[in-house]
């Protein structure tokens, strides 16, 4: 069976060019970048070249890039690094109700260590109101952390506007741009953030490697303690092959992103429109235009997201759901609840995220397969019988 992968927001396949770039760093170019002999220096050179490429993609300086073990670590580092270094100034952090767990769980951890966290609500499209950020800032606020684009519903936040507010207030601003970098142009100086997290496996690089942009002169404590790697900010021997892979993925993204975003936007609209034409009583989650080019998230009345997801898998189509199934918890997605969906619609959500190898034929196949799947479940649904 030909499988159709439509879960690029979960992870992307590694680009063959990325694999090719990485391979020598497992074998003949294996040196530890901290060693002073040839092998070490060869790795060190690759590491610094990679740093330049990653920095270039987001308009940063080389020394403002800290390589990490993925997006989660970058987010943890940003929040804990700022919080513990700036306790003399205050203990208040502002974030949103729709952050990835990498941010929200770190906030809960910080709450246990004496920090106070404000979780700002979002509107029905998933947008944070910049004015609510302004109003939430107090004399004790040290950090605002608002994600760039949401991983579930794709909504893109008004990051530049929020950054103007944090700058005026003299508060650090972190953004989780894990779903954005490599898909949309990001320039840290244009948007005005102080910290920004990215992850290689969301842009056709390997898993377990990412980076945190830390603006020069930002006061932070180091996150992992040990050796002096990454200018004393992140100990541990660098994952040279992974970092080389991240850089190659960034290089490819820089060259292809604009065209790819246009192509994916067309596919996205075709899928979203096609589903809404073919299936009654469905709801498109997230903002209609301020959204990632590759994201379609729908809620289907009277049907469980998990059931649709499994039926699609049976037909060779990989999608995901914001309902309980993937996490094994009984709770529906916090993001869908935060945009005001009732629990039944939040449980009936299905996310399709497209990427480099998605074709118009793949979209046509989903449009052919999903409507009868929905019909089948609705015919059996006690919920639909009760409400009609
Ligand atoms: N932040 C967002 C918005 C994400 O979508 C993800 C991954 O799903 C992460 C952080 C975590 O990144 P990683 O898997 O590299 O730890």
């Amino acid at each position: 069976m030909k499988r159709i992968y439509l879960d690029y927001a979960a992870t992307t396949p590694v680009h063959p060019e990325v694999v090719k770039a990485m391979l020598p760093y497992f074998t003949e170019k294996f040196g530890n970048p901290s060693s002073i002999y040839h092998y070490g220096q060869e790795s060190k050179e690759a590491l610094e070249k990679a740093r330049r490429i990653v920095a270039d993609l987001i308009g940063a300086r080389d020394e403002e890039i800290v390589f990490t073990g993925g997006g989660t670590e970058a987010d943890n580092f940003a929040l804990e690094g700022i919080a513990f270094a700036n306790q003399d100034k205050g203990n208040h952090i502002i974030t949103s109700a729709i952050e990835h767990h990498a941010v929200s769980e770190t906030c809960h951890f910080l709450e246990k260590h004496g920090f106070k966290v404000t979780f700002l609500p979002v509107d029905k499209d998933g947008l944070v109101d910049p004015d609510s950020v302004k109003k939430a800032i107090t004399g004790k606020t040290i950090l605002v952390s608002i994600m760039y684009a949401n991983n579930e519903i794709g909504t893109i936040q008004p990051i530049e506007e929020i950054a103007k507010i944090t700058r005026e207030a003299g508060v650090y601003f972190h953004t989780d741009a894990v779903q954005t970098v490599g898909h949309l142009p990001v320039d840290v100086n244009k948007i005005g953030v102080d910290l920004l997290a990215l992850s290689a496996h969301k842009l056709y690089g390997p898993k377990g490697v990412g980076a945190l942009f830390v603006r020069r002169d930002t006061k932070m404590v180091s996150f992992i303690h040990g050796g002096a790697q990454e200018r004393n900010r992140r100990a541990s021997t660098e994952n040279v092959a992974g970092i080389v892979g991240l850089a190659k993925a960034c290089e490819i993204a820089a060259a292809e992103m604009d065209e790819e975003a246009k192509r994916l936007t067309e596919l996205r609209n075709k899928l979203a429109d096609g589903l809404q034409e073919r299936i009654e009583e469905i709801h498109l989650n997230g903002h209609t235009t301020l959204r990632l080019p590759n994201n379609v998230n729908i809620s289907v009345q009277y049907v469980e997201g998990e059931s649709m997801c499994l039926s699609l898998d049976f037909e060779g189509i990989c999608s995901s759901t914001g309902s309980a199934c993937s996490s094994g918890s009984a709770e529906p997605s916090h993001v869908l609840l935060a945009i005001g969906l009732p629990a039944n619609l939040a449980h009936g959500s299905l996310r399709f995220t497209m990427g480099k190898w998605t074709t118009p034929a793949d979209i046509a196949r989903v449009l052919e397969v999903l409507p009868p799947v929905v019909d089948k479940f609705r015919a059996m649904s006690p919920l639909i019988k009760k409400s009609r």
Side-chain angles (χ1 to χ4, degrees):
M1 180 196 294
K2 179 189 179 269
R3 291 205 180 269
I4 297 174
Y5 184 72
L6 292 173
D7 202 15
Y8 281 81
T11 195
T12 56
V14 182
H15 195 293
E17 288 296 317
V18 169
V19 176
K20 202 166 131 195
M22 290 172 70
L23 282 177
Y25 292 92
F26 291 106
T27 50
E28 69 261 33
K29 300 182 182 196
F30 62 87
N32 183 325
S34 299
S35 303
I36 56 172
Y37 45 77
H38 167 81
Y39 286 121
Q41 290 312 294
E42 187 175 57
S43 287
K44 175 88 182 153
E45 225 171 84
L47 188 65
E48 294 316 317
K49 184 176 166 211
R51 199 183 304 281
R52 201 168 320 127
I53 294 168
V54 176
D56 275 353
L57 183 68
I58 58 168
R61 296 184 181 97
D62 300 4
E63 69 273 16
E64 292 174 322
I65 300 296
V66 183
F67 290 117
T68 65
T72 301
E73 187 190 310
D75 283 330
N76 274 249
F77 178 23
L79 271 71
E80 289 181 37
I82 292 290
F84 290 122
N86 294 277
Q87 291 180 87
D88 55 328
K89 288 205 198 108
N91 67 344
H92 181 226
I93 295 166
I94 298 169
T95 188
S96 84
I98 61 163
E99 298 297 311
H100 188 274
H101 287 138
V103 166
S104 58
E105 288 303 314
T106 308
C107 285
H108 292 313
F109 167 79
L110 288 169
E111 281 178 321
K112 288 186 197 125
H113 286 78
F115 293 88
K116 302 261 179 285
V117 183
T118 301
F119 292 87
L120 293 175
V122 293
D123 70 10
K124 65 174 185 14
D125 297 322
L127 283 170
V128 173
D129 178 359
D131 215 39
S132 72
V133 177
K134 195 172 186 171
K135 286 188 184 131
I137 293 176
T138 71
K140 294 212 157 170
T141 309
I142 47 174
L143 174 69
V144 172
S145 180
I146 306 284
M147 72 200 312
Y148 204 125
N150 185 266
N151 47 303
E152 289 186 38
I153 57 174
T155 299
I156 299 168
Q157 300 297 338
I159 294 298
E160 259 182 84
E161 274 180 70
I162 297 170
K164 276 196 200 114
I165 292 163
T166 55
R167 286 225 157 151
E168 254 170 43
V171 170
Y172 287 122
F173 184 22
H174 165 61
T175 190
D176 173 346
V178 164
Q179 292 290 344
T180 318
V181 170
H183 301 278
L184 293 174
V186 171
D187 182 322
V188 289
N189 293 319
K190 184 162 174 282
I191 58 176
V193 294
D194 302 299
L195 303 117
L196 178 146
L198 61 96
S199 174
H201 77 106
K202 309 292 186 178
L203 61 139
Y204 311 99
K207 294 169 185 58
V209 57
L212 182 67
F213 156 74
V214 183
R215 189 173 290 285
R216 194 153 70 178
D217 297 332
T218 298
K219 196 172 154 203
M220 284 184 95
V221 297
S222 65
F223 182 59
I224 292 184
H225 308 283
Q229 290 91 350
E230 298 296 284
R231 295 186 169 77
N232 280 314
R233 290 175 295 191
R234 200 269 186 187
S236 182
T237 303
E238 299 86 346
N239 173 5
V240 180
I243 290 166
V244 166
L246 165 63
K248 188 69 193 174
C250 289
E251 214 171 66
I252 297 170
E256 298 181 357
M257 181 165 39
D258 292 350
E259 274 306 301
E260 187 61 1
K262 269 190 227 145
R263 190 184 77 85
L264 289 174
T265 302
E266 270 179 38
L267 291 181
R268 177 195 78 189
N269 294 345
K270 207 169 175 174
L271 180 59
D273 295 347
L275 290 173
Q276 288 176 101
E277 278 159 23
R278 287 166 177 77
I279 305 171
E280 279 176 20
E281 295 185 82
I282 66 168
H283 175 80
L284 180 71
N285 298 317
H287 198 281
T288 43
T289 52
L290 295 173
R291 75 185 295 132
L292 289 170
N294 72 334
N295 173 296
V296 173
N297 186 314
I298 52 163
S299 278
V300 180
Q301 188 77 269
Y302 314 118
V303 187
E304 291 280 315
E306 184 174 341
S307 311
M308 291 184 283
C309 193
L310 294 173
S311 294
L312 288 178
D313 185 41
F314 195 69
E315 298 288 338
I317 298 168
C318 308
S319 62
S320 87
T321 166
S323 75
C325 76
S326 48
S327 62
S329 98
E331 290 300 310
S333 142
H334 67 290
V335 175
L336 299 177
L337 295 179
I339 61 171
L341 286 196
N344 65 321
L345 271 185
H347 274 302
S349 82
L350 201 54
R351 180 188 72 178
F352 299 99
T353 46
M354 292 148 274
K356 218 176 261 306
W357 290 283
T358 309
T359 64
D362 296 339
I363 301 306
R365 178 84 183 129
V366 177
L367 292 176
E368 176 192 319
V369 171
L370 188 57
V373 164
V374 170
D375 286 346
K376 181 185 80 182
F377 285 117
R378 281 184 174 167
M380 299 185 303
S381 169
L383 299 172
I384 198 166
K385 284 184 189 128
K386 247 191 256 164
S387 77
R388 283 184 172 171

